Amino acid sequence: MQQALSLPSAAMKAAYDVVVVGSGYGGGVSASRLARAGQRVCVIERGREIQTGGFPDRLPELRRELQLNGGKMRSGSRTGLYDFRLGADIHVLVGCGLGGGSLINAGVGLRPDARVFADRAWPEAVAKDGLLDLGFERAQTMLRPSRYAKAPELSKYRALQTASAAFGQDPVAAPVVVSFEDTVNPAGVSQRACTLCGDCCSGCNVGAKNTVAMTYLPDAHAHGAEIFTELSVSHIEKLSGGWRIHFKPTAEKDAAPSFVDGKTVVLAAGTLGSTEILLRSRDHGLGVSDRLGEGFSANGDIIAFALGGRERVNGIGVGEPPKFTGDTIGACVAGQIELPDHGDLDHSMIIQEGVLPSALAPLLPVFFISGGRILGAAQSLIKGVYQGPLTSLQTFFVVSHDDARGRINLDNGSLQIAWPKVGDQPVYARVDEALTKAAQAVGARYIKSPLATTTMGVKPATAHPLGGCGMGEDASSGVVNHKGQVFAGPSGEDIHGGLYVCDGAVIPRSIGVNPLLTITALTERAMVHLARDHNLGFDTAPIRQGAERAETRAMT
């Protein structure tokens, strides 16, 4: 049985060397590396710890894991796994649980086009100090993205291949952070081989997905980090010798606040979470850059569908144990069409085929009927989604580039994203045109949004929010420097000692790929700088299975 990583909140000490807020890619890396460096580390996560086998695989379970937040409107449990932020201009989906977004993402591990880091939006040192490559190397070693060798045999991959004729560009197998063979990973955790059930985005009940909860967090735990869940940080306060982190139980709105002190704080609560904490901290008197909240990007995200095509797609998950036995589904994303524009980076895009989780299966006919998209979908209510017309449903995930001009702010205490006319961004027209061609190539109809008649509406939505605490050369151009250190005022290079942001919030522009590997690499790089700046050392040697903790060495 998988070992629990979290402790009851009563076990929290009054102070630690390092307090890490958040447990996604940035939080996991920070906790692992600093615990290996011999620091007393505390990790605070607002969501629950969910063990392998405990993720939702039925519609009632999925509904219980859904929370909707939009201004003054909210519904669902505050610790629900799926946290939808409904905005006036754009919607955002983020994960809520120990492991953050890694629990519910598609797990695609791509490195951006080199031109992304050559952009002047980044501090010069990011591309020039040589540590970015080391960061990506370490990220790949721990998360182990791999391409499924038999991807071309999958029905959904063959359907993507047919669609790719519209571009004259064959698809390739996508690198995903999934273990396709039984293994013991670098954190010493045993993982089963992927069963190809397709339910990556509702939480892997097999234990094959290389989430932060299966990799960096167990590594941090093995090196002494103490992990606490279901606690939400409101703001941080600067002390004479460190920081005070104010929090309260996530599910108890009126609970009395508590605090813990740390010499160093790493904000890794995600693009929305870290930005919100700094905004609230500014309201409590913390000096920060005026750029705080600026530069929000949706990473050019599109999720869309094609239905009624000539080929069977097999793009709906079956779960574990499987709800239906038939053609193999595969991991959520097995193939992608890469469409780089060598003349204009911002016109580049990647089209990935995707799988909808099995827990959503009962709702799918309702979605498509309510939109009046296909009369034949009524048959799926009788035959089930695994045999009726929805077997031809093709899901597309697209990543591209936008202008990163959204803004995160607080409105009467509630987080809001302001991005007027974001739907008019040229990227959406380009993607619509490309997906219309792809759908036509398989004889299908392009469906931009089956949710048009629901609360979600037809506004853009993203699962890859970036920015808000973007990197810059100084406070006039960014919220943090190239090391992730927070600038101490509206101008200059002075920083708050011991205060870092390490997550998607620091990325100052769209990156055109799924961001998990980039966030991990940038945090690995930041931890090398932190260790050097504070005369710390850590190694990155894998843990032997069964070992309590690895020896710490003076290495970075």
Side-chain angles (χ1 to χ4, degrees):
M1 181 166 175
Q2 183 181 349
Q3 179 186 15
L5 301 176
S6 57
L7 295 169
S9 59
M12 185 182 292
K13 298 178 178 63
Y16 294 84
D17 295 324
V18 180
V19 177
V20 178
V21 181
S23 65
Y25 293 102
V29 172
S30 301
S32 165
R33 299 326 187 192
L34 294 176
R36 280 177 173 257
Q39 299 292 285
R40 295 175 302 128
V41 175
C42 167
V43 178
I44 299 177
E45 164 57 45
R46 69 185 175 109
R48 309 179 341 266
E49 180 174 7
I50 303 175
Q51 297 280 327
T52 298
F55 291 98
D57 67 351
R58 303 283 176 181
L59 184 57
E61 298 169 6
L62 190 71
R63 283 174 170 159
R64 287 194 293 270
E65 293 292 350
L66 178 64
Q67 53 174 311
L68 299 177
N69 294 283
K72 295 181 179 179
M73 184 278 291
R74 69 154 286 106
S75 65
S77 168
R78 294 179 185 274
T79 60
L81 180 60
Y82 296 94
D83 184 357
F84 275 101
R85 307 295 181 94
L86 306 179
D89 303 311
I90 190 169
H91 305 314
V92 181
L93 169 65
V94 295
C96 178
L98 188 64
S102 74
L103 302 177
I104 61 169
N105 65 13
V108 181
L110 290 166
R111 182 166 179 167
D113 187 309
R115 291 176 292 174
V116 168
F117 292 108
D119 191 300
R120 294 179 64 183
W122 299 88
E124 196 172 279
V126 171
K128 292 193 174 180
D129 69 6
L131 293 181
L132 186 61
D133 287 340
L134 176 63
F136 275 106
E137 178 185 324
R138 289 183 173 178
Q140 290 167 334
T141 296
M142 185 64 94
L143 298 176
R144 296 167 295 124
S146 61
R147 303 175 195 263
Y148 181 52
K150 296 182 180 179
E153 299 176 15
L154 300 172
S155 297
K156 64 194 186 84
Y157 188 98
R158 291 197 298 268
L160 184 70
Q161 192 159 31
T162 301
S164 73
F167 312 103
Q169 179 72 46
D170 286 337
V172 297
V176 290
V177 291
V178 172
S179 297
F180 292 108
E181 297 179 353
D182 290 349
T183 189
V184 176
N185 71 28
V189 177
S190 295
Q191 292 184 254
R192 286 177 56 197
C194 175
T195 61
L196 307 175
C197 76
D199 271 6
C200 305
C201 288
S202 56
C204 180
N205 280 320
V206 177
K209 188 178 175 186
N210 307 331
T211 65
V212 179
M214 297 293 285
T215 55
Y216 283 106
L217 289 174
D219 188 82
H221 180 270
H223 287 84
E226 297 181 357
I227 300 171
F228 302 93
T229 58
E230 300 184 62
L231 300 174
S232 293
V233 171
S234 60
H235 65 285
I236 57 175
E237 174 188 358
K238 194 169 188 175
L239 305 177
S240 59
W243 297 89
R244 178 157 292 171
I245 298 89
H246 296 265
F247 65 88
K248 63 182 180 179
T250 302
E252 300 175 32
K253 183 179 180 183
D254 299 321
S258 302
F259 63 82
V260 62
D261 293 343
K263 295 177 183 176
T264 297
V265 176
V266 179
L267 295 180
T271 289
L272 302 187
S274 292
T275 305
E276 181 174 11
I277 290 168
L278 279 183
L279 286 167
R280 294 188 187 282
S281 301
R282 183 175 67 182
D283 288 349
H284 281 82
L286 183 67
V288 291
S289 165
D290 290 340
R291 290 282 302 165
L292 179 61
E294 301 290 339
F296 175 84
S297 168
N299 205 34
D301 269 17
I302 292 283
I303 301 174
F305 305 89
L307 186 59
R310 297 181 295 270
E311 299 183 37
R312 180 182 179 89
V313 174
N314 225 29
I316 301 170
V318 295
E320 176 63 25
K323 301 177 178 65
F324 179 81
T325 302
D327 295 341
T328 301
I329 305 295
C332 179
V333 173
Q336 60 188 30
I337 305 169
E338 299 174 353
L339 300 172
D341 188 313
H342 299 293
D344 189 337
L345 171 66
D346 289 345
H347 287 196
S348 299
M349 72 177 72
I350 298 174
I351 301 174
Q352 297 162 345
E353 49 76 25
V355 177
L356 295 175
S358 62
L360 277 178
L363 284 181
L364 296 180
V366 179
F367 281 158
F368 290 100
I369 291 172
S370 67
R373 278 10 184 243
I374 177 168
L375 296 176
Q379 299 174 36
S380 293
L381 293 171
I382 302 170
K383 295 183 178 180
V385 297
Y386 302 111
Q387 298 181 66
L390 289 180
T391 58
S392 70
L393 177 65
Q394 193 160 11
T395 300
F396 294 116
F397 303 145
V398 181
V399 283
S400 186
H401 296 277
D402 55 40
D403 65 11
R405 292 186 180 177
R407 179 167 45 87
I408 304 171
N409 54 46
L410 292 177
D411 183 6
N412 292 322
S414 297
L415 188 78
Q416 303 287 338
I417 298 170
W419 201 346
K421 298 185 178 180
V422 59
D424 296 335
Q425 292 258 313
V427 61
Y428 297 117
R430 287 194 296 269
V431 173
D432 281 350
E433 181 181 0
L435 292 183
T436 298
K437 291 179 181 178
Q440 290 173 344
V442 296
R445 182 183 302 178
Y446 171 48
I447 302 171
K448 185 173 182 178
S449 175
L451 303 175
T453 59
T454 73
T455 311
M456 296 290 288
V458 293
K459 297 167 187 169
T462 181
H464 297 149
L466 303 173
C469 301
M471 289 184 177
E473 295 288 359
D474 56 34
S476 67
S477 59
V479 178
V480 302
N481 66 14
H482 72 98
K483 300 177 184 180
Q485 297 170 304
V486 177
F487 290 121
S491 62
E493 298 179 19
D494 290 345
I495 53 99
H496 287 295
L499 179 57
Y500 294 77
V501 179
C502 292
D503 54 27
V506 307
I507 296 177
R509 57 154 294 146
S510 59
I511 59 174
V513 297
N514 311 62
L516 75 85
L517 201 64
T518 300
I519 294 169
T520 305
L522 286 170
T523 308
E524 288 276 18
R525 176 185 177 278
M527 290 302 104
V528 173
H529 275 294
L530 188 157
R532 291 179 178 178
D533 290 346
H534 293 84
N535 197 28
L536 301 174
F538 60 84
D539 76 1
T540 57
I543 294 178
R544 299 185 308 277
Q545 189 174 25
E548 286 299 314
R549 65 174 66 185
E551 178 187 357
T552 299
R553 300 175 189 145
M555 299 173 61
T556 53

